[in-house]
Amino acid sequence: VTWPAMLVDKGYQTALIGKWHLGLQPRQHPNQFGYEHFAGFLEGGTRTMNPVLTIDGITKQRSGLCVDLLTDLALESIAEMSPRGAWCLSLHYRAPHSAYLPVDDAVWEQFKSKEVAVVDYPGLDRTMVEQRMREYLASVADIDRNVGRLLELLDQLGIEDETLVIFTSDHGYNLGHHGLEFKGNALWRLKEEPPKQWRDIAAKRRPNMFDSSLRVPALVRYPGVIPAGARVDDWTSNLDWFPTLCDVAAVELDDDVREQLRGRSLWPALLGESHEAPPQELYFEYSMRHGSQVDMRAIRTDKWKYMRDYRHPGRSELYDLQADPSERINLAPHASEEQRKLMSELDLKLF
């Protein structure tokens, strides 16, 4: 059961533009999961410039910046769907994944010599990380430029007040944080890499479940419905979007569907109304199979973050998030008796 399919049943038109990354076989195609129209790429990535894209069923190399081409397709799709009634578009950019460049020439001009601030970490290759930060910020600015094009179209069509726009991501990012670059599959960015420590983890890799890898942006725009500047301070996750979007579209969920959902609707909270109590802890898992092999499971409470790698006995991490919000000090190797008891209790929730 997927929320795009439920929106189609409700009478919505649906389209996915950009990245899919949930399988290459015909049975795994977006059309099988509720997206009536698809244009983009099924793989995890493609080129920043002159990407290979599937459009109207034809897969070939296209000319131009990937971020611009995907936005062009999204604008066309919105223009086609909006006169015909309710619609839902998912636009999944490739950016800001590495390689970050090239970007629009005017954008790069703003960032190529820009002074940037990076985190302080012992042994960090600051020259490399500062350059990577410039490139990353330019890639983000290229997305921003294109999101602006989307919002301008909504204005031109006169539907800005009746269109809910959600801007979010599928993971966080490290750029020097913890001495790393990328997400849960991070690489060391130190002048000297630490020695290899674990059997199935390459020396250059640092698989992790740091907050910097897990936390994502979440911006919501719905003029006339959600007050400008409103803020929801509850803990939320991407699991919450399924019930939220069904709420927005007035889709009735059967009991068997509700029983399978692990998220909660954010709609009442976004409207400033009384709502279901937010979770007091969050669970995470990541089984990495590219470059290294790990089976990490983690739980996060208001005070603690505990991670255990089931593929490597003894590879555990415990952070006091109140005293150490940047997760600099792993308490697990030298845990006190009280902390060992806590880890045993959290283990029961992970297993």
Side-chain angles (χ1 to χ4, degrees):
V1 178
T2 65
W3 61 261
M6 301 194 84
L7 292 188
V8 169
D9 290 342
K10 187 71 176 179
Y12 277 72
Q13 307 161 80
T14 57
L16 167 64
I17 306 297
K19 178 177 175 178
W20 175 239
H21 200 25
L22 289 172
L24 304 177
Q25 302 303 315
R27 61 183 174 81
Q28 299 164 327
H29 194 275
N31 293 157
Q32 301 297 317
F33 293 91
Y35 286 110
E36 299 172 309
H37 174 65
F38 165 73
F41 51 100
L42 298 175
E43 299 85 355
T46 187
R47 297 178 179 179
T48 306
M49 175 67 80
N50 301 334
V52 174
L53 301 177
T54 299
I55 303 174
D56 296 328
I58 300 173
T59 303
K60 67 177 185 179
Q61 189 170 15
R62 316 286 171 162
S63 298
L65 287 168
C66 184
V67 67
D68 290 346
L69 293 171
L70 294 181
T71 304
D72 291 343
L73 291 167
L75 295 174
E76 293 172 10
S77 186
I78 292 172
E80 291 175 3
M81 292 189 297
S82 58
R84 302 198 298 253
W87 54 272
C88 177
L89 173 82
S90 295
L91 173 56
H92 301 167
Y93 288 117
R94 172 208 174 277
H97 281 77
S98 178
Y100 313 112
L101 301 180
V103 296
D104 178 77
D105 290 341
V107 170
W108 182 233
E109 194 65 31
Q110 299 174 47
F111 288 93
K112 66 180 183 181
S113 302
K114 184 178 179 65
E115 289 189 20
V116 293
V118 299
V119 298
D120 183 24
Y121 190 88
L124 185 69
D125 188 338
R126 296 187 66 88
T127 300
M128 172 193 280
V129 172
E130 286 174 359
Q131 179 59 26
R132 299 289 278 173
M133 177 70 82
R134 292 185 191 95
E135 296 173 1
Y136 173 80
L137 292 175
S139 182
V140 171
D142 235 13
I143 296 174
D144 190 50
R145 174 175 61 83
N146 277 280
V147 171
R149 295 174 62 201
L150 286 169
L151 299 182
E152 287 175 4
L153 177 63
L154 299 182
D155 291 343
Q156 292 168 10
L157 295 174
I159 58 174
E160 68 278 10
D161 288 342
E162 57 195 75
T163 304
L164 170 68
V165 179
I166 298 169
F167 181 94
T168 189
S169 183
D170 57 340
H171 56 76
Y173 218 69
N174 297 280
L175 271 164
H177 308 82
H178 307 283
L180 308 173
E181 185 178 9
F182 307 131
K183 46 186 175 177
N185 60 356
L187 296 174
W188 289 108
R189 291 303 187 215
L190 305 178
K191 293 178 180 178
E192 295 185 13
E193 292 178 355
K196 179 178 172 64
Q197 184 176 2
W198 303 98
R199 181 191 67 237
D200 294 332
I201 301 178
K204 64 181 180 180
R205 296 277 182 181
R206 180 27 170 120
N208 70 90
M209 301 198 85
F210 292 128
D211 270 11
S212 47
S213 298
L214 296 172
R215 297 185 69 174
V216 297
L219 306 174
V220 180
R221 176 185 186 264
Y222 202 173
V225 178
I226 298 175
R231 179 185 176 96
V232 175
D233 290 319
D234 298 346
W235 282 12
T236 64
S237 83
N238 282 343
L239 293 173
D240 297 326
W241 292 122
F242 188 134
T244 301
L245 292 171
C246 287
D247 246 9
V248 173
V251 172
E252 293 289 338
L253 298 179
D254 295 337
D255 289 343
D256 61 337
V257 174
R258 289 189 179 278
E259 288 176 3
Q260 296 178 59
L261 292 180
R262 294 296 179 265
R264 65 190 180 95
S265 175
L266 304 177
W267 192 231
L270 289 168
L271 296 176
E273 301 173 353
S274 60
H275 55 277
E276 179 184 349
Q280 299 304 304
E281 57 189 30
L282 293 175
Y283 166 78
F284 311 95
E285 63 179 54
Y286 181 25
S287 289
M288 184 176 172
R289 293 293 182 266
H290 296 280
S292 295
Q293 299 188 42
V294 298
D295 290 306
M296 297 184 294
R297 305 293 183 261
I299 191 165
R300 188 192 199 283
T301 69
D302 185 51
K303 179 172 174 58
W304 300 103
K305 164 81 75 62
Y306 174 59
M307 186 284 292
R308 179 176 174 182
D309 181 356
Y310 282 82
R311 196 176 184 89
H312 297 91
R315 184 172 183 256
S316 298
E317 297 172 16
L318 178 69
Y319 299 98
D320 183 340
L321 298 177
Q322 293 181 0
D324 177 28
S326 297
E327 299 173 285
R328 290 278 189 124
I329 304 171
N330 178 16
L331 301 172
H334 309 289
S336 65
E337 182 177 348
E338 183 179 354
Q339 290 166 347
R340 288 196 298 271
K341 180 180 178 182
L342 169 68
M343 288 191 290
S344 296
E345 293 172 353
L346 295 176
D347 264 325
L348 297 176
K349 296 187 176 185
L350 291 180
F351 186 70

